CSV table of all heavy atoms in Angstrom, one decimal:
chain,number,residue,atom,x,y,z
A,843,CYS,N,50.0,117.9,186.4
A,843,CYS,CA,50.4,118.1,185.0
A,843,CYS,C,51.7,117.4,184.7
A,843,CYS,O,52.2,117.4,183.5
A,843,CYS,CB,50.6,119.6,184.7
A,843,CYS,SG,51.9,120.4,185.6
A,844,GLY,N,52.3,116.7,185.7
A,844,GLY,CA,53.6,116.0,185.4
A,844,GLY,C,54.8,116.9,185.1
A,844,GLY,O,55.7,116.4,184.5
A,845,GLY,N,54.6,118.2,185.5
A,845,GLY,CA,55.7,119.0,185.4
A,845,GLY,C,55.7,119.9,184.1
A,845,GLY,O,56.6,120.8,183.9
A,846,GLU,N,54.6,119.8,183.3
A,846,GLU,CA,54.5,120.5,182.1
A,846,GLU,C,54.0,121.9,182.2
A,846,GLU,O,54.1,122.8,181.4
A,846,GLU,CB,53.7,119.8,181.1
A,846,GLU,CG,54.3,118.4,180.5
A,846,GLU,CD,53.5,118.0,179.4
A,846,GLU,OE1,53.6,118.3,178.2
A,846,GLU,OE2,52.6,117.0,179.6
A,847,GLY,N,53.2,122.1,183.3
A,847,GLY,CA,52.7,123.5,183.6
A,847,GLY,C,51.3,123.7,182.9
A,847,GLY,O,50.7,124.8,183.0
A,848,LYS,N,50.8,122.7,182.2
A,848,LYS,CA,49.5,122.8,181.5
A,848,LYS,C,48.8,121.4,181.5
A,848,LYS,O,49.5,120.4,181.6
A,848,LYS,CB,49.6,123.3,180.2
A,848,LYS,CG,50.5,122.5,179.2
A,848,LYS,CD,50.6,123.2,177.9
A,848,LYS,CE,51.6,122.4,177.0
A,848,LYS,NZ,51.7,123.0,175.6
A,849,VAL,N,47.5,121.5,181.4
A,849,VAL,CA,46.7,120.2,181.3
A,849,VAL,C,45.9,120.3,180.1
A,849,VAL,O,45.5,121.3,179.7
A,849,VAL,CB,45.8,120.0,182.6
A,849,VAL,CG1,46.7,119.7,183.8
A,849,VAL,CG2,45.0,121.2,182.8
A,850,ILE,N,45.7,119.0,179.4
A,850,ILE,CA,44.9,119.0,178.2
A,850,ILE,C,43.4,118.8,178.6
A,850,ILE,O,43.1,117.8,179.3
A,850,ILE,CB,45.5,117.9,177.3
A,850,ILE,CG1,46.9,118.2,176.9
A,850,ILE,CG2,44.6,117.7,176.1
A,850,ILE,CD1,47.6,117.2,176.2
A,851,LYS,N,42.6,119.6,178.1
A,851,LYS,CA,41.1,119.4,178.4
A,851,LYS,C,40.6,118.5,177.4
A,851,LYS,O,39.9,117.5,177.7
A,851,LYS,CB,40.4,120.8,178.3
A,851,LYS,CG,40.8,121.8,179.3
A,851,LYS,CD,39.9,123.0,179.3
A,851,LYS,CE,40.0,123.8,177.9
A,851,LYS,NZ,39.2,124.9,177.9
A,852,ASN,N,40.8,118.7,176.1
A,852,ASN,CA,40.3,117.8,175.0
A,852,ASN,C,41.4,117.2,174.3
A,852,ASN,O,42.1,117.8,173.6
A,852,ASN,CB,39.4,118.6,174.0
A,852,ASN,CG,38.3,119.4,174.7
A,852,ASN,OD1,37.6,118.8,175.5
A,852,ASN,ND2,38.1,120.6,174.4
A,853,LYS,N,41.6,115.8,174.5
A,853,LYS,CA,42.7,115.1,173.9
A,853,LYS,C,42.5,114.9,172.4
A,853,LYS,O,41.4,114.7,171.9
A,853,LYS,CB,42.9,113.8,174.6
A,853,LYS,CG,43.4,113.9,176.0
A,853,LYS,CD,43.6,112.5,176.6
A,853,LYS,CE,44.1,112.6,178.1
A,853,LYS,NZ,44.4,111.3,178.6
A,854,CYS,N,43.7,115.0,171.7
A,854,CYS,CA,43.7,114.8,170.2
A,854,CYS,C,43.2,113.4,170.0
A,854,CYS,O,43.6,112.4,170.6
A,854,CYS,CB,45.1,115.0,169.7
A,854,CYS,SG,45.3,114.5,168.0
A,855,LYS,N,42.3,113.3,168.9
A,855,LYS,CA,41.7,111.9,168.6
A,855,LYS,C,42.7,111.0,167.9
A,855,LYS,O,42.6,109.8,168.0
A,855,LYS,CB,40.6,112.1,167.6
A,855,LYS,CG,39.4,113.0,168.3
A,855,LYS,CD,38.3,113.2,167.3
A,855,LYS,CE,37.2,114.1,167.9
A,855,LYS,NZ,36.2,114.5,166.9
A,856,GLU,N,43.8,111.6,167.2
A,856,GLU,CA,44.8,110.8,166.5
A,856,GLU,C,45.9,110.3,167.4
A,856,GLU,O,46.2,109.1,167.2
A,856,GLU,CB,45.4,111.7,165.4
A,856,GLU,CG,44.4,112.3,164.4
A,856,GLU,CD,43.9,111.1,163.5
A,856,GLU,OE1,44.6,110.1,163.3
A,856,GLU,OE2,42.7,111.2,163.1
A,857,CYS,N,46.3,111.0,168.4
A,857,CYS,CA,47.4,110.6,169.2
A,857,CYS,C,47.0,110.3,170.7
A,857,CYS,O,47.9,110.0,171.5
A,857,CYS,CB,48.5,111.6,169.2
A,857,CYS,SG,48.1,113.2,169.9
A,858,ALA,N,45.7,110.5,171.0
A,858,ALA,CA,45.2,110.3,172.3
A,858,ALA,C,45.9,111.1,173.4
A,858,ALA,O,46.1,110.8,174.5
A,858,ALA,CB,45.4,108.8,172.7
A,859,GLY,N,46.2,112.4,172.9
A,859,GLY,CA,46.8,113.4,173.8
A,859,GLY,C,48.2,113.2,174.0
A,859,GLY,O,48.8,114.0,174.8
A,860,GLU,N,48.9,112.3,173.3
A,860,GLU,CA,50.4,112.2,173.5
A,860,GLU,C,51.2,113.1,172.7
A,860,GLU,O,52.3,113.5,173.0
A,860,GLU,CB,50.9,110.7,173.1
A,860,GLU,CG,50.2,109.6,174.0
A,860,GLU,CD,50.8,109.8,175.5
A,860,GLU,OE1,51.9,109.7,175.6
A,860,GLU,OE2,49.9,110.0,176.4
A,861,GLY,N,50.7,113.6,171.6
A,861,GLY,CA,51.4,114.5,170.7
A,861,GLY,C,52.3,113.8,169.7
A,861,GLY,O,53.0,114.5,168.9
A,862,ILE,N,52.4,112.5,169.8
A,862,ILE,CA,53.3,111.7,168.9
A,862,ILE,C,52.5,110.5,168.5
A,862,ILE,O,51.6,110.0,169.2
A,862,ILE,CB,54.6,111.3,169.6
A,862,ILE,CG1,54.2,110.5,170.9
A,862,ILE,CG2,55.4,112.4,169.9
A,862,ILE,CD1,55.5,109.9,171.6
A,863,VAL,N,52.8,110.0,167.3
A,863,VAL,CA,52.2,108.8,166.7
A,863,VAL,C,53.4,108.0,166.1
A,863,VAL,O,54.4,108.5,165.8
A,863,VAL,CB,51.2,109.2,165.6
A,863,VAL,CG1,50.0,109.9,166.2
A,863,VAL,CG2,51.8,110.0,164.5
A,864,TYR,N,53.1,106.7,165.9
A,864,TYR,CA,54.1,105.8,165.2
A,864,TYR,C,54.1,105.9,163.8
A,864,TYR,O,53.1,105.8,163.1
A,864,TYR,CB,53.8,104.4,165.7
A,864,TYR,CG,55.1,103.5,165.6
A,864,TYR,CD1,56.2,103.7,166.3
A,864,TYR,CD2,55.1,102.4,164.6
A,864,TYR,CE1,57.3,102.9,166.3
A,864,TYR,CE2,56.2,101.6,164.6
A,864,TYR,CZ,57.3,101.8,165.4
A,864,TYR,OH,58.4,101.0,165.3
A,865,GLY,N,55.3,106.3,163.2
A,865,GLY,CA,55.3,106.5,161.7
A,865,GLY,C,56.7,106.1,161.3
A,865,GLY,O,57.4,105.3,161.9
A,866,GLU,N,57.1,106.8,160.2
A,866,GLU,CA,58.5,106.4,159.6
A,866,GLU,C,59.1,107.7,159.0
A,866,GLU,O,58.4,108.6,158.6
A,866,GLU,CB,58.4,105.3,158.6
A,866,GLU,CG,57.5,105.6,157.4
A,866,GLU,CD,57.4,104.4,156.4
A,866,GLU,OE1,57.5,103.3,156.9
A,866,GLU,OE2,57.3,104.7,155.2
A,867,GLU,N,60.3,107.6,158.9
A,867,GLU,CA,61.1,108.8,158.3
A,867,GLU,C,62.4,108.2,157.6
A,867,GLU,O,63.0,107.3,158.1
A,867,GLU,CB,61.5,109.8,159.4
A,867,GLU,CG,62.3,111.0,158.9
A,867,GLU,CD,62.7,111.9,160.0
A,867,GLU,OE1,62.5,111.6,161.1
A,867,GLU,OE2,63.4,112.9,159.6
A,868,VAL,N,62.6,108.8,156.5
A,868,VAL,CA,63.9,108.5,155.8
A,868,VAL,C,64.9,109.4,156.2
A,868,VAL,O,64.8,110.7,156.0
A,868,VAL,CB,63.7,108.5,154.2
A,868,VAL,CG1,65.0,108.2,153.5
A,868,VAL,CG2,62.6,107.4,153.8
A,869,VAL,N,66.1,108.9,156.7
A,869,VAL,CA,67.2,109.8,157.2
A,869,VAL,C,68.4,109.4,156.4
A,869,VAL,O,68.8,108.3,156.3
A,869,VAL,CB,67.4,109.6,158.7
A,869,VAL,CG1,68.6,110.4,159.2
A,869,VAL,CG2,66.2,109.9,159.5
A,870,THR,N,69.1,110.5,156.0
A,870,THR,CA,70.4,110.4,155.3
A,870,THR,C,71.5,110.7,156.2
A,870,THR,O,71.5,111.7,156.9
A,870,THR,CB,70.4,111.3,154.1
A,870,THR,OG1,69.4,111.0,153.1
A,870,THR,CG2,71.8,111.1,153.3
A,871,VAL,N,72.5,109.7,156.3
A,871,VAL,CA,73.6,109.9,157.2
A,871,VAL,C,74.8,110.0,156.4
A,871,VAL,O,75.1,109.2,155.6
A,871,VAL,CB,73.8,108.7,158.2
A,871,VAL,CG1,74.9,108.9,159.1
A,871,VAL,CG2,72.5,108.6,159.0
A,872,LYS,N,75.6,111.1,156.6
A,872,LYS,CA,76.9,111.3,155.9
A,872,LYS,C,78.0,110.8,156.8
A,872,LYS,O,78.3,111.3,157.8
A,872,LYS,CB,77.1,112.8,155.6
A,872,LYS,CG,78.3,113.0,154.7
A,872,LYS,CD,78.4,114.5,154.4
A,872,LYS,CE,79.7,114.7,153.6
A,872,LYS,NZ,79.9,116.2,153.2
A,873,ILE,N,78.6,109.6,156.3
A,873,ILE,CA,79.7,109.0,157.1
A,873,ILE,C,81.0,109.4,156.6
A,873,ILE,O,81.3,109.3,155.4
A,873,ILE,CB,79.5,107.5,157.0
A,873,ILE,CG1,78.2,107.0,157.6
A,873,ILE,CG2,80.6,106.8,157.8
A,873,ILE,CD1,77.8,105.6,157.4
A,874,PRO,N,81.9,110.0,157.5
A,874,PRO,CA,83.1,110.5,157.0
A,874,PRO,C,84.1,109.4,156.7
A,874,PRO,O,84.0,108.3,157.1
A,874,PRO,CB,83.6,111.3,158.2
A,874,PRO,CG,83.0,110.6,159.4
A,874,PRO,CD,81.7,110.1,159.0
A,875,ALA,N,85.1,109.7,155.9
A,875,ALA,CA,86.2,108.8,155.5
A,875,ALA,C,87.0,108.5,156.8
A,875,ALA,O,87.2,109.3,157.7
A,875,ALA,CB,87.0,109.4,154.5
A,876,GLY,N,87.5,107.2,156.8
A,876,GLY,CA,88.4,106.9,157.8
A,876,GLY,C,87.8,106.3,159.1
A,876,GLY,O,88.5,106.0,160.0
A,877,VAL,N,86.5,106.1,159.1
A,877,VAL,CA,85.8,105.6,160.4
A,877,VAL,C,86.3,104.1,160.5
A,877,VAL,O,86.8,103.5,159.6
A,877,VAL,CB,84.3,105.6,160.3
A,877,VAL,CG1,83.8,107.1,160.3
A,877,VAL,CG2,83.8,104.9,159.0
A,878,ALA,N,86.1,103.6,161.7
A,878,ALA,CA,86.6,102.3,162.0
A,878,ALA,C,85.5,101.4,162.8
A,878,ALA,O,84.5,102.0,163.3
A,878,ALA,CB,87.8,102.3,162.9
A,879,GLU,N,85.7,100.2,162.8
A,879,GLU,CA,84.8,99.2,163.5
A,879,GLU,C,84.5,99.7,165.0
A,879,GLU,O,85.5,100.0,165.7
A,879,GLU,CB,85.4,97.8,163.6
A,879,GLU,CG,84.6,96.8,164.4
A,879,GLU,CD,83.6,96.1,163.5
A,879,GLU,OE1,83.6,96.2,162.3
A,879,GLU,OE2,82.6,95.5,164.1
A,880,GLY,N,83.3,99.8,165.4
A,880,GLY,CA,82.9,100.2,166.7
A,880,GLY,C,82.7,101.6,167.0
A,880,GLY,O,82.2,102.0,168.0
A,881,MET,N,83.1,102.5,166.0
A,881,MET,CA,82.8,104.0,166.2
A,881,MET,C,81.4,104.2,166.1
A,881,MET,O,80.6,103.4,165.4
A,881,MET,CB,83.5,104.7,165.1
A,881,MET,CG,85.1,104.9,165.3
A,881,MET,SD,85.8,106.0,164.1
A,881,MET,CE,87.4,106.1,164.6
A,882,GLN,N,80.9,105.2,166.7
A,882,GLN,CA,79.5,105.5,166.9
A,882,GLN,C,79.3,107.0,166.4
A,882,GLN,O,79.9,107.8,166.9
A,882,GLN,CB,79.0,105.3,168.2
A,882,GLN,CG,77.4,105.6,168.4
A,882,GLN,CD,76.9,105.1,169.7
A,882,GLN,OE1,76.5,104.0,170.0
A,882,GLN,NE2,76.8,106.1,170.6
A,883,LEU,N,78.4,107.2,165.4
A,883,LEU,CA,78.1,108.5,165.0
A,883,LEU,C,76.7,108.9,165.5
A,883,LEU,O,75.9,108.0,165.8
A,883,LEU,CB,78.1,108.6,163.5
A,883,LEU,CG,79.2,108.0,162.7
A,883,LEU,CD1,79.0,108.2,161.2
A,883,LEU,CD2,80.5,108.5,163.1
A,884,SER,N,76.4,110.1,165.6
A,884,SER,CA,75.2,110.6,166.3
A,884,SER,C,74.5,111.7,165.5
A,884,SER,O,75.3,112.7,165.1
A,884,SER,CB,75.4,111.0,167.7
A,884,SER,OG,74.2,111.5,168.3
A,885,MET,N,73.3,111.6,165.2
A,885,MET,CA,72.6,112.6,164.5
A,885,MET,C,71.6,113.2,165.5
A,885,MET,O,70.6,112.6,166.0
A,885,MET,CB,71.8,112.1,163.3
A,885,MET,CG,72.7,111.7,162.1
A,885,MET,SD,71.9,111.4,160.6
A,885,MET,CE,71.3,113.0,160.1
A,886,SER,N,71.8,114.4,166.0
A,886,SER,CA,71.0,115.0,167.0
A,886,SER,C,69.6,115.3,166.5
A,886,SER,O,69.4,115.8,165.3
A,886,SER,CB,71.7,116.4,167.4
A,886,SER,OG,70.9,117.0,168.4
A,887,GLY,N,68.6,114.9,167.2
A,887,GLY,CA,67.2,115.1,167.0
A,887,GLY,C,66.6,114.3,165.9
A,887,GLY,O,65.5,114.5,165.5
A,888,LYS,N,67.3,113.1,165.5
A,888,LYS,CA,66.7,112.3,164.5
A,888,LYS,C,66.2,111.0,165.2
A,888,LYS,O,65.9,110.0,164.5
A,888,LYS,CB,67.8,111.9,163.5
A,888,LYS,CG,68.1,113.1,162.6
A,888,LYS,CD,66.9,113.6,161.8
A,888,LYS,CE,67.3,114.7,160.8
A,888,LYS,NZ,66.1,115.2,160.1
C-alpha cells in the first residue's frame, strides 16, 4: 500500500486512482507593507 494502510480496488476513472487532477485555482495573496526585495511569503496549503 506504500504506507497508506489501504489499497484501491476500483480506481477512479477521472484521476486514475491518484486522487488529484491538473487544474487551476485563483489565489489572493495579501502582501504586507514594508516588504523588500528577496523576501519570501508563504501561503500554507495553497
Side-chain angles (χ1 to χ4, degrees):
C843 65
E846 291 188 86
K848 59 184 179 180
V849 291
I850 299 173
K851 295 189 298 182
N852 302 315
K853 292 184 178 180
C854 172
K855 298 174 183 177
E856 298 293 327
C857 64
E860 296 294 299
I862 55 175
V863 293
Y864 201 64
E866 61 182 34
E867 180 184 0
V868 176
V869 177
T870 301
V871 180
K872 186 177 180 181
I873 300 173
V877 294
E879 175 88 19
M881 284 186 177
Q882 183 173 277
L883 315 183
S884 175
M885 290 189 71
S886 180
K888 292 298 182 180

